[in-house]
Amino acid sequence: MVAPEALILEMVPPSTFDLVSFDSYIPDPGEPSQAQAVSKARDFVGRAGKARTTKRGLFSRKQTPQGIGLYLDGGFGVGKTHLLASIYHSLPEPKAFATFVEVTHLVGALGFVNAVERLSDRTVLCIDEFELDDPGDTMLVSRLLTELTAKGVSIAATSNTLPGQLGEGRFAAQDFLREIRKLSAIFETIRVDGPDYRHRDLPPAPAPRSDAELVELAESTTDATLDDFDALCDHLSTLHPSKYKDLVDGVSLVCLRGVHPAKDQSVALRIVVLADRLYDANIPVTVSGCRLDEIFTEEMLGGGYRKKYLRAMSRLLALSRFAESTV
C-alpha cells in the first residue's frame, strides 16, 4: 500500500513538461486563439494566487475566498498540457497536477474525505485530460472540485474535443460545464484551436521493422525492452492502470513485436493508458507487424471512446517518429 503522502507528492507534471513556461509556448501565428489562451492562463495565475493568499481579518466575518477555475478546450496537440504545466510552475507550493484518471485513482485509494483534506491546502489543482465518458467518475470529481474550491483551491483543467463535433468542439465545453454544474459559475472556458503540432508537416507513421531488425535493435540498445504485442496486452490485464508508470520506469526504448489491431475495447483502453505513460516519460517506441496508426480499429474510432483512441494514436506516432530519429 502506497502512503497517502507519497500519492500526493507524485501529483506533479510529467517530466516532459519540467521546463515549460508561458514564454516557451510559441503560438501559431495563424491561430489567434493560442495567443489568447496564453494571456488567459497568465491572468488565471495572477487571480489564483490572490485567491489563496487573501487572509480573513481578526474582526471580519469574511469567508475563505472561493477558488477560481479555467477550462482549456481544444483538439489534440495544440499545447493545452504545456499551458497547464506552465500554470502549475507559475503558482507557489503546495500545488498538485494529475490526469483525470489519476485523480479518480487518488480518491479511490484515500477515500473521498481524506482526499479533500489532503488537497485542501493546495494553491491549484491542475487536471489534464478531463473525461466525460464515465458519469460516475465525472460526478465524483465534480463533487471533489466543489469541496476544494469552497476551501480556496483554484482548478485548471484541459480536455480534448474533436474538430468534427458541433461548433468545432464548443459543444464539449458545454458538456463539461453541465457535468460540473455546481462549478459552472467559477469556470472560464477558453478554446485553443490549431493543428496537432506532433504531426504538423510530418510524414505518415513510420513503416514497421522486420522482426529480425527489431530484435537486433533491442539487443544493442541499453535498457531497451522487447515484448510480443499479445504477451504485453495479456500482462497489462493483470495490472491496475496506476501501475503502468512503474512498468516503464527506466526504459530507454520500447520494442513491440507483432503489433496488430486491438482485439477488443478492454485491450484498447489499456493501450491508451500505456501510451499516456510512455508519452509522459518521452520513451521512443518502435514495432514490427502493423503501423501504430492501425492499432485501433475503425469501429473503435467511431465509438464512444474515440477521443481517447485518437489522443493515444497521436502520442504513439510521435514516439515512433522519435524512435526513428534517435536509434
Side-chain angles (χ1 to χ4, degrees), residues 104-134:
T104 61
H105 289 166
L106 178 77
V107 176
L110 300 185
F112 184 85
V113 173
N114 196 11
V116 171
E117 181 181 350
R118 299 276 178 173
L119 294 173
S120 62
D121 64 342
R122 308 292 108 164
T123 303
V124 67
L125 171 60
C126 298
I127 303 179
D128 203 18
E129 308 293 354
F130 204 103
E131 298 179 1
L132 301 172
D133 48 32
D134 186 314

Side-chain angles (χ1 to χ4, degrees), residues 57-290:
L58 182 61
F59 302 106
S60 171
R61 295 181 179 273
K62 184 178 179 181
Q63 300 298 310
T64 300
Q66 186 177 39
I68 61 173
L70 181 70
Y71 173 60
L72 299 173
D73 173 45
F76 307 102
V78 293
K80 299 188 305 299
T81 303
H82 183 133
L83 291 176
L84 192 67
S86 299
I87 288 172
Y88 174 90
H89 293 314
S90 299
L91 283 164
E93 297 282 2
K95 51 194 173 182
F97 184 110
T99 66
F100 178 87
V101 171
E102 288 168 344
V103 172
T104 61
H105 289 166
L106 178 77
V107 176
L110 300 185
F112 184 85
V113 173
N114 196 11
V116 171
E117 181 181 350
R118 299 276 178 173
L119 294 173
S120 62
D121 64 342
R122 308 292 108 164
T123 303
V124 67
L125 171 60
C126 298
I127 303 179
D128 203 18
E129 308 293 354
F130 204 103
E131 298 179 1
L132 301 172
D133 48 32
D134 186 314
D137 284 347
T138 301
M139 296 315 295
L140 173 69
V141 175
S142 176
R143 183 184 165 209
L144 176 72
L145 301 189
T146 300
E147 296 274 352
L148 292 177
T149 54
K151 295 178 182 295
V153 181
S154 292
I155 310 294
T158 73
S159 186
N160 290 320
T161 61
L162 303 175
Q165 288 183 319
L166 181 62
E168 289 297 306
R170 290 175 178 80
F171 198 63
Q174 295 170 16
D175 291 343
F176 173 83
L177 292 175
R178 184 185 65 247
E179 293 300 328
I180 59 168
R181 53 187 176 276
K182 292 182 180 179
L183 295 169
S184 60
I186 72 162
F187 266 93
E188 180 178 12
T189 61
I190 302 299
R191 176 68 182 174
V192 191
D193 286 308
D196 187 339
Y197 78 90
R198 288 186 282 262
H199 311 299
R200 196 179 299 160
D201 301 321
L202 293 177
R209 302 174 187 268
S210 69
D211 286 349
E213 289 174 330
L214 198 70
V215 171
E216 181 180 358
L217 178 60
E219 291 179 345
S220 63
T221 304
T222 303
D223 295 326
T225 61
L226 174 64
D227 294 281
D228 289 317
F229 181 69
D230 285 331
L232 176 63
C233 291
D234 289 342
H235 182 62
L236 293 178
S237 70
T238 68
L239 300 175
H240 189 276
S242 62
K243 301 294 184 183
Y244 291 10
K245 183 176 181 179
D246 294 336
L247 193 66
V248 304
D249 186 42
V251 174
S252 67
L253 171 69
V254 169
C255 300
L256 290 178
R257 182 166 47 196
V259 170
H260 59 79
K263 63 182 181 180
D264 58 42
Q265 296 273 22
S266 60
V267 172
L269 289 171
R270 293 184 196 112
I271 293 171
V272 168
V273 179
L274 180 64
D276 286 342
R277 300 293 78 77
L278 290 170
Y279 186 76
D280 289 346
N282 203 29
I283 300 172
V285 177
T286 189
V287 304
S288 69
C290 76

Side-chain angles (χ1 to χ4, degrees), residues 13-25 82 85-86 88-89:
S15 58
T16 307
F17 298 97
D18 280 349
L19 301 178
V20 301
S21 66
F22 293 126
D23 289 338
S24 67
Y25 182 95
H82 183 133
S86 299
Y88 174 90
H89 293 314

